[in-house]
């Protein structure tokens, strides 16, 4: 199934609000082998000027996954999960994510390129807090193998 | 220190955390090529299960050898995002505050196969790729290897000396 070239520029609906939990941050931090006190210790985080424990930089992928699910569920896009490989990933942050944040993510398909039999899809998910301020933009390039 | 996926190792945060000096001139002593941090990580299948649960990425190639092999892989491999997530940890320990990271990017170039019995060891060396002491900014390049081969390409962290 070919990738729909008209995907480029498409903006998907903003995701419902995601409340970042303190224990979720601790769980994620343990999973990425963090030893940083700001990820675990509320008092240490507050002493450093944060309202609560701080998420590691790659935590934003949890929010981006919610938007990528929209892309994979879009029948019009023509993407089959079993053919998808993660090519590259980038996080551009204004501030770290903190427990208690209520975040939304809005995905734009920045580019669709075909290279050989493969398609490369770059999706940019802009993550904002409840006041509409930018927190982080999470950008993924997915390589979709065309061997179907 | 490297965790190894056992319970509670990382929860004892505090040990190994160096408090960062908060000086504007913090990058003044840095030169391109300097190693600012390094660490080895021992991954086991437990680490992958833990990351799957924490991140919500339950792709079966990260816990079932039969399925991994059916799509042409050698066996179960670590989530790319787990490798990306742990590779930046030494930089965070060096910096102290996650707010000092502006941008972090990687390219996934090779799989990290995690053997059911022996696991996998991933080594991270963080070096200065670029520094502007006056602006208080630097680019830290990560060399991330498994079995003596790099597994991430263009792994770069853009950092600031102060908020």
């Amino acid at each position: 199934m070919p990738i729909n070239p008209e995907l480029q520029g498409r903006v998907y609906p903003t995701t419902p609000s995601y409340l970042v939990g303190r224990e979720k941050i601790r769980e994620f931090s343990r999973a990425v082998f963090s030893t940083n006190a700001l990820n675990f210790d509320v008092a240490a985080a507050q002493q450093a000027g944060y309202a609560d424990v701080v998420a590691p930089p790659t935590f934003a992928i949890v929010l981006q996954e919610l938007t990528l699910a929209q892309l994979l569920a879009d029948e019009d896009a023509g993407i089959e999960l079993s053919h998808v490989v993660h090519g590259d990933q980038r996080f551009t942050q204004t501030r770290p994510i903190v427990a208690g944040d209520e975040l939304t993510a809005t995905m734009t398909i920045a580019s669709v390129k075909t290279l050989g039999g493969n398609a490369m899809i770059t999706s940019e998910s802009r993550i904002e807090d409840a006041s509409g301020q930018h927190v982080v933009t999470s950008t993924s390039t997915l390589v979709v193998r065309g061997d179907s | 220190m490297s965790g190894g996926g056992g319970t509670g190792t990382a929860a004892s945060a505090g040990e190994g955390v160096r408090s960062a000096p908060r000086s504007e001139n913090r990058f003044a002593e840095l030169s391109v090529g300097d190693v600012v941090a390094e660490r080895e990580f021992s991954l086991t299948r437990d680490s992958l299960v833990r990351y799957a649960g924490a991140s919500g990425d339950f792709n079966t190639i990260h816990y079932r050898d039969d399925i991994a092999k059916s799509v042409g892989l050698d066996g179960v491999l670590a989530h790319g995002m787990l490798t990306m997530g742990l590779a930046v940890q030494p930089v965070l320990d060096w910096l102290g505050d996650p707010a000092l990271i502006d941008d972090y990017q990687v390219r996934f170039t090779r799989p990290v196969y995690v053997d059911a019995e022996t696991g996998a060891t991933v080594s991270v060396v963080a070096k200065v790729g670029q520094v502007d002491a006056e602006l208080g900014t630097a680019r830290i390049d990560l060399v991330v290897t498994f079995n003596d081969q790099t597994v991430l390409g263009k792994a770069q962290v853009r950092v600031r000396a102060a908020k």
Side-chain angles (χ1 to χ4, degrees):
Chain A
M1 186 161 51
I3 302 304
N4 184 351
E6 287 172 24
L7 219 49
Q8 185 161 317
R10 189 172 293 183
V11 181
Y12 284 80
T14 298
T15 57
S17 176
Y18 177 100
L19 173 60
V20 180
R22 181 186 288 167
E23 299 307 336
K24 189 68 192 177
I25 286 184
R26 287 175 171 155
E27 179 191 11
F28 189 90
S29 301
R30 276 193 289 273
V32 295
F33 296 83
S34 168
T35 53
N36 191 320
L38 301 186
N39 296 147
F40 299 100
D41 184 340
V42 179
Q46 287 176 344
Q47 207 164 12
Y50 296 99
D52 207 314
V53 294
V54 184
T58 62
F59 181 79
I61 196 69
V62 173
L63 276 297
Q64 192 180 12
E65 286 285 353
L66 302 176
T67 60
L68 290 173
Q70 295 176 311
L71 175 64
L72 294 170
D74 186 349
E75 285 183 14
D76 183 44
I79 302 169
E80 263 188 79
L81 181 59
S82 59
H83 290 203
V84 174
V85 176
H86 201 173
D88 55 57
Q89 180 67 36
R90 180 171 203 162
F91 300 98
T92 307
Q93 72 173 20
T94 298
R95 68 163 176 88
I97 293 172
V98 175
D101 274 337
E102 292 185 47
L103 303 175
T104 56
T106 311
M107 174 175 61
T108 302
I109 305 304
S111 78
V112 178
K113 290 177 194 151
T114 348
L115 200 73
N118 298 336
M120 304 204 357
I121 302 174
T122 301
S123 81
E124 275 181 16
S125 298
R126 184 185 161 88
I127 297 166
E128 294 180 350
D129 63 19
S131 62
Q133 297 293 306
H134 179 259
V135 177
V136 53
T137 295
S138 184
T139 307
S140 286
T141 299
L142 305 178
V143 182
V144 187
R145 294 193 311 264
D147 51 2
S148 51
Chain B
M1 207 52 228
S2 57
T7 33
T9 42
S12 59
E15 68 164 328
V17 177
R18 275 163 285 173
S19 60
R22 298 255 170 149
S23 134
E24 292 288 340
N25 293 321
R26 177 164 181 207
F27 290 173
E29 296 151 29
L30 291 185
S31 309
V32 171
D34 284 357
V35 173
V36 294
E38 51 191 321
R39 193 169 151 194
E40 274 198 350
F41 298 87
S42 302
L43 299 185
T44 60
R45 292 280 170 96
D46 310 35
S47 319
L48 308 193
V49 173
R50 181 186 293 262
Y51 185 78
S55 67
D57 181 345
F58 293 102
N59 191 329
T60 45
I61 60 173
H62 303 302
Y63 55 90
R64 279 188 56 177
D65 284 302
D66 56 334
I67 291 180
K69 284 176 181 163
S70 78
V71 296
L73 298 159
D74 291 351
V76 160
L77 69 160
H79 306 75
M81 285 308 304
L82 170 55
T83 307
M84 183 181 189
L86 61 82
V88 76
Q89 293 304 320
V91 178
L92 285 160
D93 290 343
W94 167 65
L95 279 175
D97 189 334
L100 301 179
I101 290 183
D102 285 331
D103 190 279
Y104 177 32
Q105 65 171 319
V106 307
R107 181 159 294 164
F108 302 104
T109 52
R110 278 198 194 88
V112 174
Y113 290 113
V114 181
D115 185 83
E117 287 179 14
T118 58
T121 302
V122 175
S123 306
V124 179
V125 178
K127 292 180 188 175
V128 178
Q130 211 175 53
V131 62
D132 187 329
E134 209 163 303
L135 277 176
T137 59
R139 193 192 78 218
I140 306 300
D141 296 343
L142 306 177
V143 181
V144 183
T145 50
F146 161 66
N147 277 352
D148 298 323
Q149 290 194 302
T150 58
V151 293
L152 298 179
K154 210 187 173 193
Q156 300 179 341
V157 195
R158 293 193 180 271
V159 299
R160 273 179 292 136
K163 279 198 241 187

